[in-house]
Amino acid sequence: MPAGLSIAAAFSWRMLVVLGLIAVLIYLIITFKYIVIPFLVAILIGALLVPVVQFLERHRWPKWLAVTVTLVGFFAVVSGLVVVVVGQVRLGLPSLQQQSVEAFQAFRSYLSDSALQLSDQDIDGYLAQLTDVIQRDSEALVSGVLSVGSTAGHVLTGALLTVFATIFVLIDGKRIWQWAVRLFPRKARAAVDGSGHAGWITLTTFVKVQIFVAAVDAVGIGAGAWILGLFYGGFPLVIPIAVAVFLGSFIPVVGALITGTLAIFIALVFLGPIPAVIMLGIVLLVQQLEGHILQPLIMGTAVKVHPLAVVFAVAAGSFVAGIPGALFAVPLVAVVNVMTKYIASGDWRTNPRPTRNDVLGNGK
């Protein structure tokens, strides 16, 4: 047997075992997605709120009071954002409907006067064909409507699971992790425990930095929409645009770009093609700022993952699990990367509890 073939075979069966394990994990995640997603969301929220609770405890707050105040403050901020967005959308909806109708009529006139020379009968014929397509697919639409109740139930259940999991992460996160570590053999516990601490440091840093990056994206695109006159032009949805960009930015690289198209569409409907092109330039400028300054300099330090790996992680996550996959892809890759490096380096033998400086300061 040639030595090269033996080495290739040894690598091959090991890779098959690893890929098989990954496939089983992906299958289990998809099967139990209504449990896994709330748990992962609770972990992300916990990574944001645990440092706040620890800060209050260091200032001699009782733990129950620190947890209560932190949770109430967090949900108050989230509820406030929802109330503001809903209120602004309700104020701007009549104007949006009117401007959409006017924009559609202008588009019809453009098609009639352009080189296409489409008559009103031609346009109405195309609209009738589109209506026929929708009617032929009415069964799928009806089934989708009927499934809303089930989906709403899943969302409500997931929200409750997220709240309860977040509470327990804040109250008893250390004991939960210690219980998980005890599931491993004794010889592996030190490595698992140390890598878990390194991964947690990376995750908390990622969440903080991602909030900052999302805020920069939201302020940049929101300010551009405000400067163009989308606020004073009778359309009070600049704040919802900024909030949508802020939330979308938690999907690195592509999130703010996708939500920024909302501002471009609104500018097109209300202000015309030229302001829409200007809004497009603003969105691209903000994306260049994120891609060339914020992501490499700030986010790169936080997650220790190359920007190309970030792009492919988001693409793979969205392919496997849609929006949740895109949301969790980068923090998952960052945490796994740090944990793997920590275990492979053998630092757990001499440094079982890595600090923030160990994880982020010297590149380990």
Side-chain angles (χ1 to χ4, degrees), residues 16-352:
L16 287 175
V17 171
V18 173
L19 292 176
L21 176 61
I22 294 175
V24 171
L25 289 176
I26 293 176
Y27 172 77
L28 292 176
I29 290 173
I30 294 175
T31 303
F32 299 101
K33 59 183 178 180
Y34 295 113
I35 298 176
V36 174
I37 292 177
F39 177 73
L40 294 179
V41 172
I43 293 296
L44 287 179
I45 297 175
L48 174 64
L49 300 183
V50 165
V52 178
V53 174
Q54 293 175 344
F55 172 80
L56 295 178
E57 287 185 310
R58 287 196 299 268
H59 287 74
R60 299 182 180 181
W61 285 48
K63 187 169 186 175
W64 67 269
L65 182 59
V67 172
T68 302
V69 170
T70 302
L71 284 175
V72 171
F74 173 76
F75 288 118
V77 171
V78 174
S79 301
L81 290 176
V82 172
V83 170
V84 170
V85 170
V86 172
Q88 294 292 319
V89 169
R90 292 183 60 185
L91 290 175
L93 187 59
S95 179
L96 177 61
Q97 293 173 339
Q98 179 182 355
Q99 293 289 342
S100 298
V101 172
E102 295 177 359
F104 177 71
Q105 294 298 331
F107 183 65
R108 287 176 64 105
S109 300
Y110 170 78
L111 292 177
S112 300
D113 299 334
S114 66
L116 297 176
Q117 294 294 317
L118 295 179
S119 63
D120 291 339
Q121 291 78 10
D122 295 331
I123 297 175
D124 292 337
Y126 291 129
L127 291 176
Q129 293 178 10
L130 179 62
T131 303
D132 292 338
V133 172
I134 294 176
Q135 288 178 349
R136 286 198 300 268
D137 295 336
S138 59
E139 293 183 0
L141 294 175
V142 171
S143 63
V145 172
L146 294 177
S147 65
V148 168
S150 176
T151 302
H154 290 153
V155 171
L156 178 60
T157 303
L160 292 176
L161 288 175
T162 300
V163 171
F164 282 111
T166 302
I167 293 174
F168 282 107
V169 167
L170 296 181
I171 294 177
D172 213 12
K174 290 183 178 180
R175 292 179 59 186
I176 295 174
W177 172 246
Q178 291 171 359
W179 173 83
V181 171
R182 287 196 295 270
L183 297 176
F184 291 85
R186 289 184 179 273
K187 293 182 179 180
R189 289 177 185 176
V192 173
D193 187 38
S195 65
H197 283 83
W200 180 255
I201 292 172
T202 300
L203 183 61
T204 55
T205 306
F206 167 81
V207 172
K208 295 175 184 177
V209 173
Q210 190 59 51
I211 290 177
F212 172 74
V213 173
V216 172
D217 290 340
V219 171
I221 295 177
W226 181 81
I227 291 173
L228 287 177
L230 292 179
F231 186 80
Y232 290 109
F235 186 66
L237 287 186
V238 172
I239 294 178
I241 289 174
V243 173
V245 173
F246 177 79
L247 296 177
S249 297
F250 282 90
I251 301 177
V253 181
V254 298
L257 182 62
I258 294 175
T259 53
T261 57
L262 174 64
I264 299 172
F265 171 76
I266 294 172
L268 177 63
V269 171
F270 282 85
L271 302 178
I274 301 301
V277 172
I278 297 174
M279 191 70 243
L280 173 62
I282 293 173
V283 172
L284 294 178
L285 178 62
V286 172
Q287 286 302 299
Q288 291 298 312
L289 173 65
E290 177 186 348
H292 290 86
I293 298 178
L294 298 181
Q295 289 289 349
L297 298 181
I298 301 178
M299 185 61 71
T301 302
V303 302
K304 304 293 185 182
V305 177
H306 193 276
L308 183 61
V310 171
V311 173
F312 277 99
V314 172
S318 60
F319 177 78
V320 173
I323 294 178
L327 174 63
F328 299 122
V330 175
L332 179 61
V333 169
V335 170
V336 171
N337 177 58
V338 170
M339 294 177 69
T340 303
K341 284 185 176 180
Y342 176 84
I343 295 176
S345 65
D347 286 350
W348 50 274
R349 296 185 178 92
T350 57
N351 186 18

